[in-house]
Amino acid sequence: MYQVLKKCRINGRDYVKDDVVNADELRLYEGERLIQLGFLIRIAGEKNMITLFADTEPITPEQVLLIMDILQSKQAEAIEKVENLKNDADNRAVLEILSKVDNRAKVRDACI
């Protein structure tokens, strides 16, 4: 399965951002080509599907985006975002993952 990143036309059908395209709707290798061109992203597949867990608690796609946002932020911004997350018990898993994957010691320390 694929998610549409930007408006496109596939096999005569129009798709808009966030539409889902099943792999069987695409011709051989068309999905890979459209990924390379930036129109699609793979959202499921046996060899590409992963599930992230913090302890035994799975994290949501929104939390994955939050983790990526913090990892891409400058250190001061990342620390500020982490401090804001500490007030929300739902984001305990985000802080746990960040404390293990962020290579900046000050950000890791802020997660604790």
Side-chain angles (χ1 to χ4, degrees), residues 1-2 23 31-32 35 41-52:
M1 288 177 53
Y2 301 91
E32 296 303 318
I35 289 172
I41 185 169
R42 181 176 287 114
I43 58 172
E46 290 179 20
K47 66 180 180 182
N48 296 316
M49 185 65 132
I50 61 169
T51 304
L52 294 176

Side-chain angles (χ1 to χ4, degrees), residues 62-100:
E62 292 80 19
Q63 288 174 318
V64 172
L65 293 175
L66 183 57
I67 291 167
M68 298 306 296
D69 178 52
I70 292 170
L71 289 172
Q72 294 174 354
S73 297
K74 293 183 179 183
Q75 182 171 301
E77 294 171 15
I79 291 170
E80 183 178 331
K81 291 175 183 179
V82 164
E83 292 299 329
N84 291 336
L85 289 177
K86 284 184 174 183
N87 300 326
D88 188 0
D90 292 338
N91 287 316
R92 185 181 60 84
V94 171
L95 294 173
E96 182 181 334
I97 291 172
L98 281 170
S99 71
K100 294 176 182 170

Side-chain angles (χ1 to χ4, degrees), residues 21-52:
V21 180
N22 289 317
D24 59 355
E25 296 177 43
L26 303 174
R27 290 174 280 184
L28 189 61
Y29 303 114
E30 187 174 22
E32 296 303 318
R33 184 179 62 83
L34 290 169
I35 289 172
Q36 290 174 350
L37 295 172
F39 288 99
L40 300 178
I41 185 169
R42 181 176 287 114
I43 58 172
E46 290 179 20
K47 66 180 180 182
N48 296 316
M49 185 65 132
I50 61 169
T51 304
L52 294 176

